[in-house]
Amino acid sequence: MTDSATIPDGYEISADPARIDAARVHHWLSTDAYWALGRTREKQDAAIAASLNFGVYEGSSGAQVAYARVVTDRATFAWLCDVYVAPEARGKGLGTALVGAVCEELDAFGVRRTLLATGDAHGVYEKLGFKGLESPENWMGRGNQ
Protein backbone atom coordinates (compact mmCIF):
# COMPACT_ATOMS: atom_id res chain seq x y z
CA MET A 1 0.00 0.00 0.00
CA THR A 2 2.81 2.44 0.74
CA ASP A 3 6.31 2.99 -0.62
CA SER A 4 8.67 0.42 0.88
CA ALA A 5 11.07 3.23 1.84
CA THR A 6 8.49 4.72 4.22
CA ILE A 7 7.74 1.59 6.25
CA PRO A 8 10.44 -0.29 8.13
CA ASP A 9 11.59 -3.61 6.69
CA GLY A 10 9.59 -6.56 7.90
CA TYR A 11 6.26 -4.74 8.12
CA GLU A 12 3.30 -4.27 5.80
CA ILE A 13 0.42 -1.77 5.79
CA SER A 14 -2.98 -2.87 4.54
CA ALA A 15 -6.48 -1.41 4.28
CA ASP A 16 -8.01 -4.86 3.81
CA PRO A 17 -10.84 -4.99 6.37
CA ALA A 18 -10.61 -8.79 6.53
CA ARG A 19 -7.13 -8.51 8.07
CA ILE A 20 -8.13 -6.35 11.03
CA ASP A 21 -7.77 -8.25 14.31
CA ALA A 22 -10.85 -6.70 15.92
CA ALA A 23 -10.28 -8.37 19.29
CA ARG A 24 -6.71 -7.07 19.47
CA VAL A 25 -7.73 -3.56 18.36
CA HIS A 26 -10.50 -3.49 20.97
CA HIS A 27 -8.10 -4.62 23.69
CA TRP A 28 -5.52 -1.98 22.75
CA LEU A 29 -7.98 0.88 22.61
CA SER A 30 -10.22 -0.02 25.55
CA THR A 31 -7.33 -0.66 27.96
CA ASP A 32 -4.47 1.59 26.82
CA ALA A 33 -5.72 4.50 24.68
CA TYR A 34 -6.70 7.54 26.78
CA TRP A 35 -9.43 8.51 24.30
CA ALA A 36 -11.14 5.09 24.24
CA LEU A 37 -10.69 3.61 27.72
CA GLY A 38 -13.61 1.37 28.54
CA ARG A 39 -15.02 1.35 25.02
CA THR A 40 -17.15 -1.76 24.61
CA ARG A 41 -16.39 -4.44 22.06
CA GLU A 42 -19.79 -3.87 20.46
CA LYS A 43 -19.07 -0.14 20.07
CA GLN A 44 -15.62 -0.85 18.64
CA ASP A 45 -16.95 -3.44 16.19
CA ALA A 46 -19.59 -0.95 15.00
CA ALA A 47 -16.91 1.72 14.53
CA ILE A 48 -14.73 -0.68 12.53
CA ALA A 49 -17.66 -1.72 10.35
CA ALA A 50 -18.54 1.89 9.46
CA SER A 51 -14.99 3.11 8.81
CA LEU A 52 -11.98 2.80 6.53
CA ASN A 53 -9.48 0.77 8.56
CA PHE A 54 -5.72 0.36 8.27
CA GLY A 55 -3.42 -2.09 9.94
CA VAL A 56 0.31 -2.59 10.18
CA TYR A 57 1.36 -6.24 10.19
CA GLU A 58 4.61 -8.04 10.92
CA GLY A 59 5.79 -9.72 7.76
CA SER A 60 7.01 -12.93 9.38
CA SER A 61 4.04 -13.68 11.64
CA GLY A 62 1.31 -11.58 10.05
CA ALA A 63 0.39 -10.29 13.52
CA GLN A 64 -1.19 -6.85 13.65
CA VAL A 65 1.00 -4.31 15.49
CA ALA A 66 -0.76 -1.01 14.72
CA TYR A 67 -4.16 0.36 13.72
CA ALA A 68 -5.79 3.51 12.38
CA ARG A 69 -9.41 4.25 11.56
CA VAL A 70 -10.85 6.89 9.24
CA VAL A 71 -14.41 8.14 9.19
CA THR A 72 -14.87 9.50 5.68
CA ASP A 73 -17.19 10.00 2.73
CA ARG A 74 -14.21 9.11 0.49
CA ALA A 75 -14.81 12.32 -1.45
CA THR A 76 -14.42 15.55 0.53
CA PHE A 77 -13.78 14.98 4.25
CA ALA A 78 -12.08 12.57 6.65
CA TRP A 79 -11.64 12.23 10.40
CA LEU A 80 -8.52 10.26 11.36
CA CYS A 81 -8.92 8.53 14.70
CA ASP A 82 -7.96 5.54 16.85
CA VAL A 83 -4.33 5.61 15.71
CA TYR A 84 -2.49 3.13 17.90
CA VAL A 85 0.86 1.34 17.81
CA ALA A 86 1.37 -1.62 20.14
CA PRO A 87 3.90 -0.83 22.89
CA GLU A 88 6.35 -3.49 21.69
CA ALA A 89 6.36 -1.98 18.18
CA ARG A 90 6.83 1.67 19.11
CA GLY A 91 9.91 3.68 18.20
CA LYS A 92 10.33 2.13 14.75
CA GLY A 93 8.52 4.75 12.67
CA LEU A 94 5.42 2.59 12.23
CA GLY A 95 3.00 5.31 13.38
CA THR A 96 4.41 7.80 10.90
CA ALA A 97 4.36 5.21 8.11
CA LEU A 98 0.79 4.24 8.97
CA VAL A 99 -0.51 7.82 8.95
CA GLY A 100 1.44 8.45 5.73
CA ALA A 101 -0.33 5.51 4.09
CA VAL A 102 -3.68 6.81 5.32
CA CYS A 103 -2.92 10.23 3.82
CA GLU A 104 -1.92 8.65 0.48
CA GLU A 105 -5.21 6.75 0.35
CA LEU A 106 -7.26 9.84 1.20
CA ASP A 107 -5.35 11.91 -1.37
CA ALA A 108 -6.19 9.31 -4.01
CA PHE A 109 -9.89 9.81 -3.18
CA GLY A 110 -9.49 13.59 -3.58
CA VAL A 111 -10.36 14.28 0.05
CA ARG A 112 -9.85 18.01 0.66
CA ARG A 113 -9.77 18.10 4.45
CA THR A 114 -8.62 15.58 7.04
CA LEU A 115 -8.98 16.37 10.71
CA LEU A 116 -7.78 14.66 13.86
CA ALA A 117 -7.44 15.35 17.55
CA THR A 118 -4.43 14.38 19.65
CA GLY A 119 -3.33 15.03 23.16
CA ASP A 120 0.24 13.85 22.77
CA ALA A 121 1.42 13.12 19.22
CA HIS A 122 1.55 16.50 17.52
CA GLY A 123 5.09 15.93 16.24
CA VAL A 124 4.15 12.71 14.44
CA TYR A 125 1.29 14.39 12.61
CA GLU A 126 3.20 17.58 11.83
CA LYS A 127 5.75 15.50 9.86
CA LEU A 128 2.89 14.56 7.55
CA GLY A 129 1.50 18.05 7.00
CA PHE A 130 -1.02 18.36 9.81
CA LYS A 131 -1.11 21.67 11.67
CA GLY A 132 -3.30 23.52 14.10
CA LEU A 133 -6.52 24.92 12.67
CA GLU A 134 -6.13 28.41 11.26
CA SER A 135 -9.59 29.45 12.43
CA PRO A 136 -10.53 27.18 15.32
CA GLU A 137 -13.25 29.63 16.30
CA ASN A 138 -15.15 28.53 13.17
CA TRP A 139 -15.29 24.89 14.30
CA MET A 140 -17.83 23.53 16.71
CA GLY A 141 -18.36 20.22 18.42
CA ARG A 142 -21.20 18.39 20.09
CA GLY A 143 -20.94 15.84 22.88
CA ASN A 144 -17.94 14.97 25.03
CA GLN A 145 -15.05 17.28 24.26
Side-chain angles (χ1 to χ4, degrees):
M1 160 160 287
T2 187
D3 180 325
S4 60
T6 63
I7 186 162
D9 287 341
Y11 294 92
E12 176 187 4
I13 298 175
S14 175
D16 180 355
R19 292 188 70 184
I20 298 297
D21 184 338
R24 180 174 286 186
V25 169
H26 172 255
H27 176 75
W28 286 337
L29 297 178
S30 67
T31 65
D32 191 41
Y34 66 85
W35 65 90
L37 293 174
R39 185 181 290 169
T40 67
R41 175 68 191 267
E42 295 76 21
K43 184 72 74 176
Q44 185 62 48
D45 286 349
I48 288 170
S51 300
L52 177 61
N53 301 276
F54 294 79
V56 177
Y57 304 90
E58 287 182 332
S60 58
S61 69
Q64 187 170 352
V65 297
Y67 175 73
R69 183 169 70 85
V70 182
V71 180
T72 183
D73 58 10
R74 292 178 167 91
T76 63
F77 179 81
W79 174 263
L80 174 59
C81 53
D82 289 346
V83 178
Y84 186 90
V85 178
E88 66 275 9
R90 292 179 186 162
K92 300 176 182 180
L94 295 173
T96 301
L98 175 58
V99 174
V102 169
C103 291
E104 287 176 14
E105 184 89 2
L106 295 173
D107 289 348
F109 292 144
V111 169
R112 291 183 15 239
R113 177 170 288 127
T114 303
L115 296 179
L116 62 82
T118 184
D120 60 357
H122 295 79
V124 170
Y125 298 109
E126 287 169 348
K127 290 182 215 175
L128 296 160
F130 287 88
K131 59 185 178 181
L133 297 176
E134 291 179 18
S135 301
E137 67 277 5
N138 293 347
W139 293 86
M140 299 177 70
R142 181 175 179 263
N144 295 336
Q145 294 188 37

